[in-house]
Amino acid sequence: MGVIVLAFGTGVVNTFDRSERPGRTRYPYTRRSGNGGMFRPFRESVEAALGSALEARELSTDDLGIEEPPEDVDAVLASSIAFRLAGELGAAPPEVAARLADEIDAAGYEYVDRVEPTGPYLNFFPDEAYFEGTLEAGQDSAYGALPPKDTSIVVEHTSANPTGPVHVGRARNPIVGDAVANLLEYAGYDVDRHYYVNDAGRQMAVFTWAYERFEESELPEPARDRAEYRMVRYYRRGNDFLENADPEALEAAEAEIETILQGLEAGDEETYERVTEVVDTVLAGMKACLGRLPATFDEFIKETRFMRDGSTDDVVVRLKELHGAVYENDAWQLEFEDIEKNLVFLRADGTSLYTTRDLAHHEWKLENYDRAVTVLGEDHKLQARQLRSTLSLLGHDTDRLDSVIYSYVNLPEGKMSTRRGTGVQLDDLLDEAIDRARGEVEDRLGDRLRSDDLDENAVERIARQVGVGAVRYDIVSKQPTKAITFEWDRALDFEAQSAPYVQYVHARCCGIEGEADGIEPTLDASVLETDAERELLATIARFPGVVEGAADEHEPHRIATYTREIADRFNGFYRECPVVGADDERTRSARLALVIAARHTVANALDILGVEAPESM
RNA sequence: GGGCGUGUGGCCUAGCGGAUCAAGGCGAGAGGUUCCUAACCUCUAGAGCGCGGGUUCGAAUCCCGUCACGCCCGCCA
């Protein structure tokens, strides 16, 4: 099937069948794709209309000053170009705006009804076809998804070392990473999600040594009955030993750890299997935890892979030939022009370093994908810069690489650490969130107006959707570069700007549709005349544009901001406009179609954020 | 010490060169349910965007300086 895609593709790098790779769980054979909505063609029309007007007067079209007007202006797009032209044309901005408006033949462009000057601004208004088209496009359950592009992207995220339970400090990575991947998928890219497993470093050697060295009987009870909780006890015990052992014992232990590291480097099969047992066991547990979010992966790429297949050695050979390569202090290093710190890529003992292997890893990514996005913590920024520069020196096109940087989540009392066992585990956060959500659901059962009966399963389902959704939404809705201090009550606030607020809108849509027996939705936007209806429809229309912009910048929090806007608009509509109880049939039918479009929009926006959309709550 | 990032009402967050109210939420105060789920809605008080300069017709948004906080500056990952 992937072969068919390739037949249409131009310059597609991949030569394997993309649909048959292991681990695909989301849309196994088809990507969600929609027609892309009306907003984007409207914007193109505006650009073309304004551009040609400027061209006709031989004015620069570099920056058209297109922007979205403030809320109280009901144009869809505006331009502030008159400010910039004022000097050149020797007229005041409002005068320039008026003249330009006269020259633009708005009606000649698709979806544009007219352009009006308002002071110094040019406001572009959509025609009826824009609204009709939006109402129709919104009936598609994939609304908001853009047409497929022939571009593959690998999104690497989380990649936490398999040392123990996932704690909240790193929880931003899977949550933001999964959302970025979803977002790119909606934007039409062919996305793979990868978890890079650091199974070759000292941490894993220590872990393997500790696992073999200590007896379970001397360890505390695990905090939770799952693999990574059981295993991390050995890791902590081992680190504790290394910190406190007497010199001889320490030396013996270090020798064993060193043997494991050397064994991995030499490609020794037996050593590899010992380490792999530990890595795979811990990883299975972490996978289960991440699955609760859910964050899933197409592939877990192991670091040792690039040692075993010779690609790390191959990179080293090429690195040594680079102009900036120097042999200093018994180690091979690379000097950069723009980065102060050298990159050591080969130790005195001839072994490779993490970054050396990551270079091989990224060359592999660049061979197999058109683009690569990596989600990483701010502490890896320098390393990411060095990686990028080095790849560039090796002759790669690093424009194909992007990274999304986030700050760690800290506790009021400081950092979280797996090794020291400090911090809040993601499992505990999710459990607490679900418990609190269940409490909310049960509290509300009493004064529930709706006469549907929520059985135990429904309560549990809602508690999970709301609880997990609230955690994800709280994290994904903020700019990742901002630091977060974790506080239970703030993370688990179910009111207002939170997942439940948006989820509730979805449930309301479903409620209306459930009541709308016998009403057939009709695509008649002309019946939707009130401000509340027009504003809701206009907000729905923007969705594909929001997806495109957020995807371009890898900023899923913009989708979260959008969900609040559409939720506000929907609630305004809900208050003002009865659907099932509307007076005449045409109104009922048209409003029902609007509700369906709103539901699809909200559901898909939440889907991008990785938040479930409950049908009732 | 150097580099990078962050700093918006009591608290949290959006905006990151343009529209004489800087947008929401929490919290505070006042209201709203014979009508599709009140995890909702309406109204009131509250900031001039860390601080000081500068660029610009116009700055929360750009530049410089400064302060605070975070991260980084390992032959660790």
Side-chain angles (χ1 to χ4, degrees):
Chain A
M1 300 151 225
V3 179
I4 297 170
V5 173
L6 290 175
F8 290 113
T10 51
V12 173
V13 176
N14 312 320
T15 52
F16 46 81
D17 186 330
R18 304 185 62 75
S19 63
E20 289 182 6
R21 278 162 306 170
R24 279 222 102 130
T25 52
R26 279 178 67 89
Y27 309 107
Y29 300 111
T30 53
R31 282 180 277 158
R32 278 171 96 69
S33 69
N35 70 5
M38 306 297 119
F39 177 83
R40 292 156 69 250
F42 177 81
R43 188 183 55 206
E44 280 171 28
S45 288
V46 168
E47 287 165 357
L50 183 53
S52 69
L54 294 177
E55 245 167 59
R57 300 183 60 159
E58 296 184 354
L59 294 164
S60 165
T61 55
D62 289 349
D63 184 354
L64 299 175
I66 305 285
E67 59 191 62
E68 292 188 28
E71 265 185 58
D72 52 322
V73 176
D74 61 353
V76 167
L77 286 172
S79 170
S80 60
I81 192 158
F83 283 109
R84 250 155 292 150
L85 265 32
E88 197 172 336
L89 297 177
E95 169 66 24
V96 174
R99 270 195 254 160
L100 282 174
D102 277 345
E103 275 173 47
I104 294 171
D105 171 30
Y109 293 87
E110 196 174 25
Y111 301 125
V112 182
D113 177 55
R114 63 188 196 281
V115 54
E116 285 178 4
T118 304
Y121 297 93
L122 285 169
N123 285 323
F124 293 86
F125 296 85
D127 61 13
E128 204 52 25
Y130 180 79
F131 291 103
E132 297 286 355
T134 298
L135 194 59
E136 183 178 349
Q139 305 306 302
D140 181 356
S141 67
Y143 179 66
L146 273 33
K149 297 174 171 54
D150 279 323
T151 305
S152 61
I153 302 189
V154 54
V155 175
E156 180 200 327
H157 69 84
T158 308
S159 303
N161 293 355
T163 53
V166 181
H167 64 237
V168 173
R170 297 192 188 289
R172 249 177 154 167
N173 204 318
I175 291 171
V176 171
D178 194 54
V180 167
N182 294 340
L183 179 56
L184 292 171
E185 219 156 49
Y186 267 83
Y189 296 98
D190 189 2
V191 176
D192 266 9
R193 300 138 195 268
H194 285 188
Y195 185 124
Y196 186 53
V197 185
N198 304 150
D199 63 339
R202 179 181 158 84
Q203 284 186 340
M204 294 325 299
V206 168
F207 205 149
T208 302
W209 159 78
Y211 179 61
E212 295 168 352
R213 166 78 169 69
F214 299 103
E215 293 297 322
E216 178 156 26
S217 57
E218 56 184 309
L219 300 173
E221 283 296 301
R224 193 175 282 253
D225 186 27
R226 215 172 51 208
E228 79 277 36
Y229 288 88
R230 289 191 293 269
M231 294 294 285
V232 75
R233 296 175 301 161
Y234 292 95
Y235 184 63
R236 289 183 182 141
R237 179 77 181 83
N239 278 106
D240 186 54
F241 180 91
L242 295 176
E243 278 171 33
N244 301 305
D246 58 71
E248 296 107 273
L250 183 61
E251 199 178 319
E254 287 293 352
E256 288 182 49
I257 292 165
E258 183 59 26
T259 305
I260 294 171
L261 277 172
Q262 291 288 351
L264 283 177
E265 191 74 26
D268 177 57
E269 198 60 34
E270 191 251 335
T271 307
Y272 176 71
E273 279 168 19
R274 286 161 62 201
V275 174
T276 297
E277 185 192 341
V278 172
V279 169
D280 287 354
T281 306
V282 177
L283 206 54
M286 295 171 78
K287 220 187 279 191
C289 176
L290 294 168
R292 298 182 65 190
L293 285 172
T296 58
F297 297 87
D298 296 297
E299 284 193 74
F300 287 76
I301 308 294
K302 286 182 174 171
E303 195 177 348
T304 45
R305 164 181 182 158
F306 303 103
M307 298 166 80
R308 292 157 69 82
D309 70 1
S311 58
T312 302
D313 292 339
D314 179 64
V315 171
V316 168
V317 170
R318 282 179 286 128
L319 287 172
K320 285 180 177 173
E321 290 167 0
L322 290 178
H323 183 68
V326 293
Y327 188 79
E328 259 175 32
N329 302 323
D330 296 325
W332 277 95
Q333 315 192 6
L334 189 61
E335 291 177 343
F336 300 96
E337 288 184 1
D338 53 337
I339 304 174
E340 280 186 34
K341 187 183 166 256
N342 285 1
L343 172 71
V344 176
F345 61 87
L346 200 62
R347 276 188 274 247
D349 62 5
T351 58
S352 63
L353 288 91
Y354 171 82
T355 312
T356 324
R357 293 168 226 133
D358 206 20
L359 281 166
H361 172 215
H362 276 82
E363 289 197 319
W364 173 81
K365 284 188 188 175
L366 288 170
E367 271 169 38
N368 290 286
Y369 296 90
D370 297 322
R371 302 193 65 84
V373 176
T374 311
V375 181
L376 23 107
E378 60 180 342
D379 53 337
H380 286 76
K381 266 171 92 167
L382 177 62
Q383 186 242 26
R385 273 220 301 155
Q386 289 190 319
L387 182 80
R388 190 187 183 90
S389 285
T390 306
L391 286 167
S392 176
L393 292 172
L394 287 169
H396 296 286
D397 173 14
T398 49
D399 288 344
R400 290 160 58 202
L401 300 173
D402 287 295
S403 47
V404 175
I405 311 283
Y406 66 92
S407 299
Y408 284 107
V409 178
N410 288 319
L411 295 170
E413 56 270 28
K415 282 199 223 178
M416 305 192 200
S417 158
T418 299
R419 186 166 46 78
R420 292 191 311 249
T422 60
V424 175
Q425 307 307 335
L426 179 56
D427 280 307
D428 294 335
L429 173 58
L430 294 176
D431 284 350
E432 179 71 20
I434 293 166
D435 283 347
R436 293 195 191 193
R438 189 185 300 110
E440 291 285 330
V441 178
E442 286 166 352
D443 283 352
R444 291 163 207 273
L445 279 179
D447 46 31
R448 199 176 160 82
L449 287 175
R450 195 171 173 76
S451 58
D452 60 349
D453 38 335
L454 292 179
D455 61 17
E456 230 173 86
N457 289 336
V459 170
E460 203 50 40
R461 186 208 85 222
I462 296 165
R464 190 181 49 76
Q465 290 177 318
V466 168
V468 176
V471 169
R472 285 190 77 134
Y473 192 93
D474 181 58
I475 288 177
V476 79
S477 62
K478 297 176 168 88
Q479 295 191 107
T481 47
K482 294 210 176 195
I484 297 180
T485 300
F486 179 80
E487 284 162 49
W488 285 104
D489 288 338
R490 201 186 292 161
L492 299 179
D493 180 5
F494 295 148
E495 296 198 340
Q497 300 192 338
S498 67
Y501 175 72
V502 180
Q503 290 174 314
Y504 190 62
V505 165
H506 185 266
R508 275 182 156 174
C509 289
C510 293
I512 293 171
E513 288 179 46
E515 297 290 323
D517 266 352
I519 303 174
E520 275 302 308
T522 56
L523 305 177
D524 189 359
S526 66
V527 185
L528 306 171
E529 292 177 306
T530 66
D531 285 352
E533 290 164 306
R534 295 314 271 205
E535 284 171 12
L536 177 57
L537 195 50
T539 303
I540 290 169
R542 282 176 42 225
F543 185 44
V546 173
V547 168
E548 185 176 56
D552 285 348
E553 304 300 320
H554 306 126
E555 290 185 339
H557 79 271
R558 292 200 203 177
I559 303 295
T561 303
Y562 175 76
T563 61
R564 286 198 287 269
E565 288 170 20
I566 190 167
D568 288 345
R569 292 299 167 86
F570 182 84
N571 283 326
F573 161 77
Y574 184 86
R575 186 180 67 247
E576 309 274 337
C577 306
V579 178
V580 178
D583 295 337
D584 66 287
E585 192 187 328
R586 285 185 71 208
T587 305
R588 282 196 293 273
S589 293
R591 284 181 178 171
L592 182 60
L594 180 59
V595 169
I596 291 169
R599 192 190 91 220
H600 289 150
T601 306
V602 170
N604 292 339
L606 287 175
D607 189 38
I608 291 172
L609 301 177
V611 173
E612 287 192 45
E615 295 187 0
S616 67
M617 60 188 278

